[in-house]
Amino acid sequence: MNLDQFTAENAPTESAEPFQRENSYTLDVNVDGTVMAKAGSMIAYTGDVSFTGKASAEGGITGLLKEAATGEGTPIMAVEGSGHVYFADDGKKVQVVELDAGESITVNGEDVLAFESSLSYEINTIDSLAGALAGGFSNVYLEGPGHAALTTHGDPIVVEPPVATDPGATVAWGGTSPEVEVNRSLSDMVGQESGERYQMHFAGSSGFVVVQPREEHA
């Protein structure tokens, strides 16, 4: 294709939606006020927009997410102003969800990309997974109303409880809570921490669990 065709086919689309996917890997946020996003995830922006680190307990984010979400620097940033901001994370696929008032989802800290400031949020930890998995021990609880964007390696599947999942492949869940079980007999055979040794068990008959076709390990 010629240059005009290339630029036309890959130009951003116009939309009134606050959160939209420009393609499978890029999120376009129409910022009008404040949006929270994973630090380091901005790839481009237009308009008058500023970026400020948010790492204090007052903002709901503590240092627990620092290494899990970004490896370095400020874990979460406030994006303020008016314009379009484009976010991406290491070629992972972007998933956008809209939460109504009272609806909630818990997302692996590694897989949070951005969310509207109208969402209430807090950090929860799974101590039994600390040190075993990249981002597997810190999770962000989000409650609506508002939009949130998650990232996944490949296309996710959503399964219903009761179900057991590999922590490294578990992206998010809602309406249910996990219990972690350890199969110690596999430690010598496998030679590393794995989903076969650590398993997240979601009980009950309601809710959902989002898993991806890749295990994220430290």
Side-chain angles (χ1 to χ4, degrees):
M1 68 177 68
N2 62 36
L3 186 58
D4 288 340
Q5 290 174 315
F6 174 78
T7 56
E9 289 189 12
N10 294 284
T13 56
E14 296 293 333
S15 173
E17 291 293 323
F19 277 41
Q20 70 166 339
R21 296 194 307 173
E22 285 297 342
N23 52 49
S24 296
Y25 315 99
T26 307
L27 173 70
D28 175 5
V29 177
N30 184 2
V31 178
D32 184 14
T34 303
V35 170
M36 308 303 293
K38 182 176 182 177
S41 62
M42 184 275 291
I43 60 171
Y45 71 91
T46 62
D48 184 10
V49 180
S50 64
F51 304 87
T52 306
K54 303 289 286 186
S56 69
E58 290 181 2
I61 295 293
T62 71
L64 292 172
L65 195 59
K66 182 174 180 179
E67 293 184 359
T70 64
E72 59 184 19
T74 304
I76 293 292
M77 60 186 178
V79 183
E80 300 172 290
S82 178
H84 282 265
V85 183
Y86 302 94
F87 298 100
D89 183 16
D90 197 29
K92 295 168 69 176
K93 286 196 168 185
V94 175
Q95 318 294 336
V96 177
V97 296
E98 182 178 3
L99 301 176
D100 292 332
E103 288 186 324
S104 64
I105 188 172
T106 299
V107 187
N108 186 315
E110 179 69 16
D111 303 318
V112 174
L113 183 60
F115 55 92
E116 290 188 285
S117 59
S118 58
L119 292 173
S120 60
Y121 63 100
E122 65 181 68
I123 300 299
N124 296 308
T125 63
I126 301 177
D127 293 338
S128 56
L129 292 177
L133 303 166
F137 67 94
S138 295
N139 301 287
V140 184
Y141 172 84
L142 301 169
E143 183 174 337
H147 290 80
L150 329 176
T151 55
T152 60
H153 289 284
D155 294 323
I157 61 170
V158 180
V159 292
E160 297 181 355
V163 64
T165 66
D166 180 329
T170 305
V171 174
W173 59 87
T176 181
S177 297
E179 294 289 338
V180 177
E181 295 187 5
V182 181
N183 185 343
R184 301 187 184 281
S185 64
L186 283 175
S187 59
D188 294 334
M189 181 182 72
V190 175
Q192 62 181 359
E193 309 298 1
S194 73
E196 287 73 30
R197 187 184 183 202
Y198 290 88
Q199 297 176 3
M200 299 174 73
H201 285 254
F202 297 86
S205 57
S206 62
F208 62 91
V209 184
V210 182
V211 294
Q212 63 185 2
R214 175 175 168 178
E215 300 175 26
E216 293 181 311
H217 297 305

